[in-house]
């Protein structure tokens, strides 16, 4: 009997929404419901030539990289003993296909109930009557779009499954899930729009099946499921979403993946990453290297790294500062960009929050500083990212190495309500540099962290030791328990200064 080995638990994939009868039939006619969809794109090679980049699909990569296997045999699903490293497709749409059922699409609650039953069946197939195995049994849920709401319904609605069943879910990874509903032209999908079950994305309806108030649907409520064990992968490419001949992308607008707005694609308190992928299709978020790399590090990795930027000084350009000193009212806003990639990455980034992808963090000067230029006591320092890393992927040395492309630029100035255009330089950055971090356990349950700013120095050269933050001041708005927090000074010749706090924690 194969034994359960944390973190390589069975994976259940839950696909997203199918609107029409034709889409439902197309969905049920495929064995893996989209989890097997790959993509072939082009990239520029080192020699300048254009070459193919083939992503073989999450399903194939899990089989090749981590020895997972599907549960099909001789044209049907195996009914006997299953491997703990198995991939199961939750085929909740089958009853909606007249070939398999009554032609009626199940509700979110019905789909979540059958998911809970599927977890129990999977436990029986893997563990049999072995009490120790049954106690240790867990599953990973991986879901696209509406599939994430089905998983959350299982976790949050006590009428759907028992506490014992819910406790079997170890982690939940969501691709492009509308955790806060879907807005079209800035308006939430109406509750009355029940045709093709589109009201599933209305916040009032969501509140009922998620058991939270309608203005709190992007929270886990009283479920008890830790938000740090739910990962939200957010798409930022609205242009390449081709559904409905591009009408969806047009109606939902930018700052979205073409269907789900960026602001609606995460659960409060959960880690999240931003990738320049659309909701689905040839440029979709599921069939992407970025999606796969985030998924396997979250499910199987052993390290969580998070960062927060506390800006302490933001100088104004001399012309604007002169106007402020003359008593003019000066308003300004800033974009904070952060792109993270592990050492060895050549075709992907784990997260990219940039202006170009329309997902940079935006802060008003008045949110951070008082009129006299002093730092506000209630200034909110944004969490830049939470990424997951895997020491098993280290190919050189003994340290986990990853880079952060960090930049802060001005979004424009207003003087007495008028845009300051005469001296405006588009895209002028107050700070821009690449930070390379080298992390490893210190042998006493903590961490060591070194760094180098690589725009001026070789990453392989001499490094600085990051300064540990005192325990009483270590909290940085990140829910990872037992994290070690380090401080790295950030500054530029333009008068920009900040403190970058890096939190490192073991991840199971």
């Amino acid at each position: 009997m194969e034994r359960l080995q944390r973190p390589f638990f069975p994976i259940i994939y839950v696909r997203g929404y199918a609107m029409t009868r034709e889409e439902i039939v197309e969905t049920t006619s495929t064995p893996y419901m989209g989890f097997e969809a790959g993509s072939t794109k082009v990239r520029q090679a080192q020699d300048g030539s254009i070459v193919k980049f083939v992503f073989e699909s999450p399903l194939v990569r899990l089989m090749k990289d981590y020895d997972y296997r599907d549960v099909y045999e001789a044209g049907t699903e195996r009914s006997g003993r299953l491997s703990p490293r198995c991939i199961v497709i939750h085929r909740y749409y089958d009853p909606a296909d007249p070939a398999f059922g009554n032609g009626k699409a199940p509700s979110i609650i019905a789909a979540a109930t059958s998911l809970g039953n599927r977890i129990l069946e999977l436990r029986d197939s893997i563990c049999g009557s072995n009490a120790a195995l049954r106690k240790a049994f867990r599953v990973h849920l991986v879901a696209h779009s509406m599939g994430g709401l089905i998983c959350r319904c299982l976790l949050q609605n006590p009428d759907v499954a028992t506490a014992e069943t819910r406790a079997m879910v170890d982690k939940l990874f969501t691709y492009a899930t509308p955790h806060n509903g879907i807005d079209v032209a800035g308006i939430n999908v109406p509750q009355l729009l029940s045709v093709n079950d589109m009201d599933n994305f209305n916040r009032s309806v969501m509140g009922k099946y998620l058991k939270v108030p309608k203005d709190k649907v992007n929270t886990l409520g009283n479920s008890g499921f830790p938000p740090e064990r739910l990962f939200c992968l957010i798409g930022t490419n609205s242009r390449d979403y081709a559904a409905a001949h591009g009408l969806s992308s047009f109606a939902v607008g930018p700052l979205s993946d073409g269907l789900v707005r960026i602001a609606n694609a995460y659960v409060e308190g959960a880690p999240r990453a931003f990738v320049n992928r659309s909701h689905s299709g040839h440029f979709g978020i599921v069939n992407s290297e970025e999606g796969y790399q985030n998924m396997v590090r979250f499910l199987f990795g052993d390290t969580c790294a998070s960062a927060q930027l506390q800006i302490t000084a933001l100088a104004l350009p001399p012309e604007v500062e002169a106007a402020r000193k003359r008593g003019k009212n000066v308003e300004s806003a800033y974009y904070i960009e952060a792109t993270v990639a592990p050492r060895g990455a050549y075709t992907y980034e784990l997260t990219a929050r940039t202006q170009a992808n329309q997902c940079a963090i935006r802060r008003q000067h008045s949110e951070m500083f008082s009129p006299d230029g002093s730092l506000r006591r209630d200034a909110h320092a944004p969490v830049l990212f939470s990424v997951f890393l895997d020491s098993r992927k280290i190919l050189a040395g003994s340290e986990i190495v990853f880079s952060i492309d960090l930049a802060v630029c001005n979004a424009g100035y207003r003087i007495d309500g008028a845009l300051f255009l005469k001296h405006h330089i588009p895209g002028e950055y107050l700070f821009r540099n690449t930070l390379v971090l080298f992390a490893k356990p210190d042998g006493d349950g903590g961490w060591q962290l070194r760094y180098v700013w690589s725009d001026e120095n070789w990453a392989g050269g001499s490094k600085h030791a990051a300064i540990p933050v005192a325990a009483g001041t270590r909290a940085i708005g990140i829910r990872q328990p037992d994290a070690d927090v380090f401080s790295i000074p950030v500054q530029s010749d333009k008068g920009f200064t900040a403190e970058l706090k890096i939190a490192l924690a073991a991840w199971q």
Side-chain angles (χ1 to χ4, degrees), residues 264-277:
N264 290 340
Y266 65 88
V267 169
E268 195 67 44
R272 66 202 74 154
F274 300 76
V275 295
N276 192 34
R277 291 284 174 167

Side-chain angles (χ1 to χ4, degrees), residues 161-185:
T162 65
E164 179 190 22
T165 302
R166 296 196 300 273
M168 294 179 195
V169 178
D170 187 65
K171 297 170 188 164
L172 168 58
F173 181 92
T174 65
Y175 299 95
T177 290
H179 289 292
N180 197 40
I182 289 179
D183 295 337
V184 178

Side-chain angles (χ1 to χ4, degrees), residues 30-310:
T30 60
Y32 304 105
M33 295 195 164
F35 204 51
E36 83 292 357
S39 60
T40 303
K41 299 291 179 288
V42 296
R43 64 176 176 85
Q44 190 171 24
Q46 179 270 342
D47 61 2
S49 62
I50 301 300
V51 298
K52 292 179 182 177
F53 174 74
V54 177
F55 174 65
E56 301 157 286
S57 83
L59 181 86
V60 173
R61 290 289 295 278
L62 284 167
M63 291 178 171
K64 294 175 66 172
D65 297 347
Y66 296 95
D67 296 324
Y68 272 79
R69 63 194 73 172
D70 66 10
V71 296
Y72 297 129
E73 185 176 65
T76 187
E77 290 193 23
R78 293 180 59 187
S79 57
R81 187 58 54 83
L82 296 176
S83 166
R85 294 200 192 192
C86 63
I87 300 172
V88 176
I89 308 301
H90 180 41
R91 298 182 59 91
Y92 66 92
Y93 263 129
D94 279 0
D97 186 335
F100 302 115
N102 58 14
K104 183 178 180 180
S107 66
I108 293 283
I109 289 178
T113 301
S114 62
L115 175 60
N117 293 333
R118 186 64 189 236
I119 291 173
L120 295 174
E121 293 168 0
L122 193 56
R123 180 190 60 178
D124 294 343
S125 297
I126 290 173
C127 305
S129 59
N130 186 303
L133 285 180
R134 293 174 73 88
K135 182 178 180 180
F137 177 80
R138 298 292 186 275
V139 297
H140 296 314
L141 300 181
V142 176
H144 175 229
S145 192
M146 189 181 76
L149 299 180
I150 292 172
C151 295
R152 284 184 56 200
C153 181
L154 169 76
L155 294 171
Q156 295 184 227
N157 191 327
D159 299 330
V160 164
T162 65
E164 179 190 22
T165 302
R166 296 196 300 273
M168 294 179 195
V169 178
D170 187 65
K171 297 170 188 164
L172 168 58
F173 181 92
T174 65
Y175 299 95
T177 290
H179 289 292
N180 197 40
I182 289 179
D183 295 337
V184 178
I187 301 173
N188 187 213
V189 172
Q191 183 175 352
L192 296 176
L193 193 58
S194 59
V195 60
N196 294 327
D197 297 318
M198 289 184 66
D199 57 347
N200 284 333
F201 312 111
N202 172 269
R203 282 185 273 274
S204 293
V205 175
M206 292 173 66
K208 294 175 182 177
Y209 62 72
L210 294 175
K211 295 296 184 179
V212 290
K214 65 180 180 180
D215 60 343
K216 299 287 186 181
V217 296
N218 68 331
T219 70
L220 291 172
N222 298 319
S223 67
F225 190 79
E228 62 268 21
R229 303 192 78 79
L230 191 167
F231 191 96
C232 305
L233 191 64
I234 301 170
T236 63
N237 178 5
S238 64
R239 299 176 299 277
D240 291 317
Y241 185 54
H245 304 287
L247 292 178
S248 169
S249 176
F250 175 79
V252 175
L255 304 176
S256 74
D257 62 11
L259 180 63
V260 181
R261 292 187 61 80
I262 292 171
N264 290 340
Y266 65 88
V267 169
E268 195 67 44
R272 66 202 74 154
F274 300 76
V275 295
N276 192 34
R277 291 284 174 167
S278 61
H279 191 76
S280 62
H282 298 302
F283 295 90
I285 196 168
V286 176
N287 60 336
S288 70
E289 184 73 11
E290 297 91 337
Y292 175 75
Q293 295 293 343
N294 274 287
M295 177 184 67
V296 297
R297 283 170 169 79
F298 176 68
L299 297 184
F300 311 136
D302 54 17
T303 304
C304 178
S306 302
Q308 186 179 45
L309 186 68
Q310 175 71 65

